[in-house]
Amino acid sequence: MTGDIEQSSRVRFPGISPRAYEHPADRGALAVLRAVPAVGPIIKAVAAAFSERGERLVQVASSVRVGPKQYPDLHRLRNEVAAAFDLEEAPELYVRHSPEVNAYTRGIDKPFIVLNSGLVERFDREELRFAIGHETGHAMSGHGLYNTILERLLNLQYALGWMPAGAFAMRAVIAALYEWQRKTELSCDRAGLLACQDPQAALRVHLAFAGDIGGQVDIAAFLEQAKEYEGEDIRDSILKLLDNERRSHPLAVVRAAELQRWAASEEYREILTGTYPRREDDRPTDNLTDDILGAARSYRDSMSNSADPLIKTINDIGETVVGAAGKMWSKFAPNGAAE
């Protein structure tokens, strides 16, 4: 298959922390949440209505659980990805009958991955490696917990819908969570790239999500669409804002352009050479300041690189918010950690 890399030459990442691939805006938001001692128990309590065991049983009863005798190639890929990320145990993997090219990760305490049969049929080996790496990234970062909260809030919104003030406030919170959720997809695209280490395979995945059939799409023209999408017309900006408000994933051309920029970055090259955060060093309160500052830099970079006038405004607001969070943290951080 075109662009395949021999397993022996693919880099592994001993002890790698999810912080190595998490998008700065994603990581900054999670760092704030993780640093507050009461947040974990509260979120778990809110998420208690989610029956992880029940959903797993649904997959056992209606999907094919990947193993040595069922989809053995996928079983090997799943284990190779887990080994690349130095995981003691690979997440369970299921193949679900559906023509839609899609995959998702569920579960909080023991996340599991589900691949639609349409995706398995459509992707070649390295594209599948990217997809499994992407979903493994969700599992490593603990995104299932916060995605569950978003689902609970969506259900709660209907209960508050008759209260204008409550509905408006809930809409703002949900919109913010959706924005975080879109950033998690950018994070896990990076995890997928670290798993396959083949930017062309990653790009083919994004082309497939956009509608490519049989390699009939010109890559340069496709990436040019991302520049066209940014635009400079405020009318288009409003339409994009409304269109993206409830999207859980960034648009395909945006994802492709974002990941290709990261693939060409010094940060990606450093990870491949062994320079990356380790899990053994993950202490949320110590990393919070760096993560907030990283989120602020991300907003500034997005603002300076975008031609979209509304995006500039939104990013300016985002930078102000994370800056305020950083100042607040500096008042309570041990030894005045934040600068």
Side-chain angles (χ1 to χ4, degrees):
M1 297 175 185
T2 303
D4 283 8
I5 298 175
E6 291 294 333
Q7 179 64 18
S8 59
S9 63
R10 191 174 285 106
V11 177
R12 292 190 179 191
F13 309 100
I16 191 170
S17 165
R19 290 186 294 116
Y21 61 79
E22 286 171 343
H23 191 280
D26 165 21
R27 193 166 63 241
L30 284 184
V32 172
L33 287 171
R34 290 167 176 164
V36 180
V39 164
I42 290 173
I43 289 179
K44 290 240 180 187
V46 174
F50 169 75
S51 175
E52 181 172 332
R53 182 176 178 84
E55 186 153 351
R56 190 184 303 275
L57 285 172
V58 168
Q59 297 302 326
V60 169
S62 61
S63 305
V64 177
R65 182 164 54 199
V66 171
K69 297 181 179 180
Q70 301 188 133
Y71 288 109
D73 287 341
L74 288 178
H75 174 67
R76 283 190 292 271
L77 271 178
R78 184 260 311 267
N79 288 340
E80 288 172 6
V81 169
F85 290 133
D86 195 21
L87 300 180
E88 292 184 3
E89 183 179 2
E92 282 190 346
L93 181 62
Y94 295 87
V95 175
R96 167 179 172 267
H97 176 65
S98 172
E100 183 180 5
V101 179
N102 192 27
Y104 54 88
T105 301
R106 291 287 186 270
I108 296 172
D109 296 318
K110 191 177 180 181
F112 58 93
I113 297 169
V114 180
L115 305 179
N116 283 356
S117 56
L119 181 145
V120 176
E121 292 175 350
R122 172 68 174 77
F123 286 177
D124 65 28
R125 183 177 179 81
E126 293 311 301
E127 293 162 8
L128 285 168
R129 190 188 302 275
F130 173 86
I132 294 172
H134 175 106
E135 297 304 327
T136 301
H138 281 305
M140 291 173 63
S141 290
H143 289 154
L145 179 60
Y146 299 93
N147 283 328
T148 299
I149 298 305
L150 176 57
E151 291 176 8
R152 295 293 152 274
L153 288 175
L154 287 172
N155 291 334
L156 184 60
Q157 185 183 33
Y158 293 110
L160 297 177
W162 61 274
M163 299 174 58
F168 185 81
M170 187 66 70
R171 179 174 178 176
V173 172
I174 290 172
L177 279 171
Y178 268 127
E179 168 63 13
W180 164 77
Q181 191 177 52
R182 289 190 293 272
K183 290 297 189 291
T184 70
E185 296 303 321
L186 299 180
S187 293
C188 294
D189 278 349
R190 295 178 177 187
L193 180 58
L194 290 175
C196 73
Q197 297 164 32
D198 183 351
Q200 290 300 307
L203 186 54
R204 293 197 301 271
V205 169
H206 292 140
L207 286 170
F209 287 143
D212 179 34
I213 300 175
Q216 300 182 55
V217 174
D218 179 78
I219 292 176
F222 177 72
L223 292 176
E224 188 64 29
Q225 291 177 221
K227 296 179 182 178
E228 181 181 341
Y229 177 75
E230 284 193 348
E232 297 184 4
D233 190 322
I234 191 68
R235 294 170 299 180
D236 290 342
S237 300
I238 299 296
L239 293 173
K240 285 184 284 187
L241 182 64
L242 294 173
D243 179 61
N244 278 280
E245 183 183 11
R246 291 302 185 94
R247 285 187 181 273
S248 61
H249 290 59
L251 297 170
V253 293
V254 176
R255 289 178 68 178
E258 175 79 18
L259 186 60
Q260 293 304 308
R261 280 193 293 269
W262 193 70
S265 71
E266 183 64 28
E267 181 182 3
Y268 174 63
R269 289 190 290 272
E270 286 183 353
I271 294 174
L272 291 180
T273 58
T275 304
Y276 52 80
R278 260 66 174 181
R279 291 193 288 268
E280 62 187 19
D281 299 322
D282 281 351
R283 291 183 291 273
T285 54
D286 292 343
N287 296 322
L288 180 62
T289 300
D290 289 341
D291 290 338
I292 288 175
L293 293 176
R297 284 193 298 270
S298 174
Y299 280 113
R300 285 198 297 270
D301 291 344
S302 295
M303 183 169 57
S304 62
N305 293 330
S306 176
D308 189 312
L310 186 59
I311 293 301
K312 287 177 180 288
T313 301
I314 292 171
N315 283 331
D316 190 33
I317 294 171
E319 182 186 354
T320 300
V321 170
V322 295
K327 290 178 181 178
M328 180 65 70
W329 172 247
S330 69
K331 295 180 183 296
F332 299 101
N335 303 318
E339 295 293 337

